[in-house]
Amino acid sequence: MTNNSIKKEKIEDFLKFNNKKKKKNIKLADVIKDKVGDTMLEIIQNCSTFMMFYADVTLEKRKLMMANSCKNRFCPMCAYRKARKDGLKHMIMMKKLIADNQFGFLFLTLTAPSVSGEELENEIKDYVSSFKRFTNLKEFQKINLGYIRKLEITYNSEKNTYHPHYHLILCVNKNYFTSRDYIKQKKWLEMWKIAKRDMTITQVDVRKADKNSFLEIAKYAAKDSDYLQSQDVFNVFYDSLKGKQVITYNNIFKELAKQYDNGELDYLKDIDKTKYVYRVIYKWYQNHYE
């Protein structure tokens, strides 16, 4: 395969990826039209109709330089970019804490039985109060140095049920795993059942957090493949998540998040030594793209 053929293939893959996301954005505009004003709807419809990237000689590495973005949390284009940005933010915070050589990390998933669409908003509110009780437990307070908490909701189309749950990165002392304060999985489950006031809960997933855990917690609160299934499903997601805080930083992570946003942790970012030689421009039209 010639270099020109390889480059053409890379460009086609790039266009197909963005075209797929943009088509979902158009679907979003259709289901959200009764939820937002005309001005916001137009911004969503025009989201990412223009994007300019710099690319290296292989076209493998690309850097977004300019785009018209709506920044709506349900926009597939914007949600994808935000997840990547949050992923970088979390990786830099982890890098800073690892460099200090004083900390360890846990990855917890706190869950409960699924609920109907009518119950979802109240269930999300109950998660908030339950989590507050959970973090006030003496066992939790004894080990907690800070956490990142992310709300995620999945949809089961066969049962027509919604499953809210929390993903949690918890920072602990480095010696936690060999200390008398170590909490076994069975105890975590007991603590969450008490805090949630639901004895039917059967599991709490807890493990050592790694790089993938920090990336996992940066992902979408809801998958577009779930909430774009139908108008009714979208309405449930939109009404239940409207005004809700999806991601929360606590203690040491809250301070690091501020430092990151202020540029104080930029020195931990890898220096980009890529030589960008191409400018790739993506333009969207209703019936075709180039």
Side-chain angles (χ1 to χ4, degrees), residues 98-115:
I98 288 177
D100 291 341
N101 199 31
Q102 300 176 39
F103 308 105
F105 309 100
L106 294 175
F107 185 52
L108 282 79
T109 300
L110 304 175
T111 185
S114 300
V115 297

Side-chain angles (χ1 to χ4, degrees), residues 17-29 31-32 44 47-48 70-84 220 222-225 227-228 234:
F17 175 80
N18 286 286
N19 192 43
K20 183 178 179 181
K21 290 287 184 183
K22 182 57 188 174
K23 284 183 176 179
K24 289 183 177 181
N25 165 265
I26 290 175
K27 190 171 183 178
L28 169 68
V31 296
I32 205 174
I44 292 172
C47 180
S48 301
C70 68
K71 295 183 172 60
N72 186 281
R73 69 164 48 170
F74 291 100
C75 174
M77 305 286 284
C78 295
Y80 170 76
R81 287 198 286 266
K82 187 177 187 308
R84 288 176 64 86
Y220 327 121
K223 297 177 181 177
D224 53 50
S225 57
Y227 61 75
L228 291 179
F234 176 78

Side-chain angles (χ1 to χ4, degrees), residues 209-222:
D210 56 17
K211 175 181 176 180
N212 290 331
S213 306
F214 279 82
L215 294 175
E216 175 70 26
I217 208 167
K219 290 183 178 179
Y220 327 121

Side-chain angles (χ1 to χ4, degrees), residues 17 58 60 159 213 223 283:
F17 175 80
T58 67
E60 285 280 357
K159 297 181 179 180
S213 306
K223 297 177 181 177
K283 294 181 181 179

